[in-house]
Amino acid sequence: MAVTRAKDSSVNTGTKYISFLAGNPAFTLASFDSIATTVAAGGETSITLSAIPQTYVALQLRVLSKDSVNATGTDYVDLRFNADSGTNYAYHSLQGSGSAASASGSATQNTIRCYYGQTRGGATLANMFGASIIDIHDYASTTRNKTVRSFSGADTNGGGGIALNSGVWLNTAAVTSVTLLSGGSNTWAAGSRFELYGLVG
Amino acid sequence: MAYTYEPIATQTLGSSSATVTFGSIPSTYTHLRIVTTYSFGSVNRIGVRFNSDSGTNYSNTWLTGSGSAAESFRETSMSYIFSQWSGVPVTNPSLTVFDIFNYGGSTNKTVLVSTSGDQNGSGRVERGVGLWRSTSAITSLTVNGVSQNFTSGSSFTLFGIKAA
């Protein structure tokens, strides 16, 4: 039998809505997804984010890190893709040390480097971390090599530096995992954060 | 429900002002991002402070390009996280982005700063890193025109980024 009338008296909660949302928030398609987060326990030589979905147009890593070495100063953060440790990478960097600007480039490397991406682990630098924003464009392509740009820096109130870095992985395979290594083959300090995001196309 | 990357609040100035404050920042995100387009009456610096801390608990390191030289600078024990050179005449606003990492964490706060401004004959591109030496969670922040007011029309948006 068809419904021909509804009466307020037959409704337990008499809330009237003008909008079909009925008090619920509008659904918004996400454009920037958090894929995975790893927080170092301390002592790891590398952190790998794997099983990366192939459904995004680009990836972004946000890293907040320091190493475990009892020293002052800063160090770099290295990247590899798909566990490739061969000399299939190259990178360039524009750096500021706090007193001078400089530039460098390196070919035929076994990582992509982000200079000034982390602080060292000395006691005077306790609770100070370096930061990096790393963009990997067109990571799911199977016809093009992979280009990376990053912006990294660490300030220790008297030391530190800032760097703009670019890099390339000379491989047309889609990126399915990213490995981050602490500079100088050192280990990560506890609390270092490694976050992977995907940009929705 | 917090989305991964979403605007928390926006302020657009209807008249000139020395400061713009975002208070009662939700603790539900992992990082914050401030995106500003702004002008001053003449060359000035934009800065940010946290939790009303006006002490000399901030420091900065920059890499800058002026159109004729690349340089790097450092300032220690300052009262802001700065961009070193910022906006000028009203018709060519500057853009500064502050990326504030792990704002709710119990470590000192690291901020990456990007500034771009071009006046068709002068200008600056800057990238910087700042440190707020405080282990407190950030619950408010104030964007300052250090010695001049932001002009009417300057806009400031605070975004939250939430990690998995």
Side-chain angles (χ1 to χ4, degrees):
Chain A
M1 183 173 76
V3 174
T4 58
R5 185 176 67 171
K7 296 175 62 175
D8 285 347
S9 60
S10 66
V11 177
N12 291 330
T13 57
T15 303
K16 179 179 179 181
Y17 295 96
I18 296 175
S19 166
F20 279 116
L21 289 173
N24 297 303
F27 176 75
T28 303
L29 287 173
S31 59
F32 191 76
D33 287 348
S34 176
I35 300 172
T37 297
T38 296
V39 180
E44 302 94 332
T45 56
S46 65
I47 297 287
T48 297
L49 303 166
S50 59
I52 297 173
Q54 299 296 296
T55 51
Y56 300 100
V57 297
L59 300 175
Q60 183 174 93
L61 287 159
R62 287 179 169 256
V63 178
L64 191 67
S65 64
K66 72 192 288 120
D67 70 22
S68 302
V69 176
N70 184 17
T72 59
T74 59
D75 213 332
Y76 49 82
V77 171
D78 279 346
L79 294 179
R80 285 182 178 149
F81 299 120
N82 296 8
D84 180 6
S85 59
T87 53
N88 301 312
Y89 305 86
Y91 52 84
H92 283 76
S93 184
L94 178 63
Q95 301 172 39
S97 66
S99 59
S102 63
S104 65
S106 299
T108 320
Q109 301 293 303
N110 59 10
T111 63
I112 289 172
R113 184 149 296 171
C114 303
Y115 285 97
Y116 291 116
Q118 61 177 346
T119 57
R120 309 307 297 273
T124 58
L125 303 184
N127 292 315
M128 296 179 185
F129 286 70
S132 302
I133 300 175
I134 303 165
D135 290 305
I136 309 161
H137 296 277
D138 207 16
Y139 75 102
S141 170
T142 56
T143 59
R144 288 186 284 271
N145 295 334
K146 307 305 177 289
T147 297
V148 173
R149 71 173 184 185
S150 69
F151 173 23
S152 50
D155 187 283
T156 61
N157 190 37
I162 185 82
L164 299 175
N165 313 282
S166 69
V168 65
W169 180 39
L170 299 165
N171 195 311
T172 58
V175 173
T176 58
S177 71
V178 178
T179 299
L180 297 111
L181 303 104
S182 184
S185 301
N186 295 316
T187 58
W188 298 108
S192 296
R193 298 181 59 90
F194 308 87
E195 302 166 8
L196 180 66
Y197 299 85
L199 274 70
V200 179
Chain B
M1 180 183 80
Y3 291 98
T4 298
Y5 186 102
E6 63 176 353
I8 298 171
T10 296
Q11 298 188 44
T12 302
L13 298 181
S15 59
S16 68
S17 176
T19 61
V20 174
T21 296
F22 293 93
S24 300
I25 295 173
S27 61
T28 49
Y29 301 98
T30 309
H31 311 297
L32 298 174
R33 168 175 271 198
I34 310 166
V35 179
T36 73
T37 57
Y38 58 94
S39 295
F40 300 114
S42 61
V43 175
N44 188 27
R45 307 176 77 177
I46 186 173
V48 65
R49 283 175 171 164
F50 304 117
N51 295 5
S52 302
D53 180 6
S54 59
T56 53
N57 299 313
Y58 306 86
S59 53
N60 308 269
T61 302
W62 300 280
L63 174 64
T64 72
S66 65
S68 59
E71 298 173 289
S72 183
F73 304 93
R74 175 175 290 126
E75 287 182 339
T76 58
S77 299
M78 305 297 289
S79 56
Y80 299 94
I81 287 175
F82 285 116
S83 179
Q84 199 199 30
W85 177 96
S86 307
V88 194
V90 173
T91 53
N92 297 323
S94 294
L95 166 68
T96 294
V97 178
F98 297 94
D99 275 291
I100 305 160
F101 282 72
N102 202 30
Y103 73 103
S106 57
T107 59
N108 295 323
K109 305 306 179 287
T110 299
V111 182
L112 293 180
V113 186
S114 303
T115 290
S116 302
D118 198 292
Q119 308 301 327
N120 190 26
S122 67
R124 200 71 86 91
V125 58
E126 295 183 359
R127 295 295 182 268
V129 57
L131 180 72
W132 180 41
R133 296 188 311 284
S134 171
T135 57
S136 299
I138 293 172
T139 58
S140 69
L141 61 90
T142 300
V143 186
N144 297 69
V146 174
S147 59
Q148 294 208 21
N149 286 1
F150 296 110
T151 58
S152 174
S154 298
S155 71
F156 307 80
T157 300
L158 178 67
F159 294 89
I161 299 171
K162 183 171 177 60

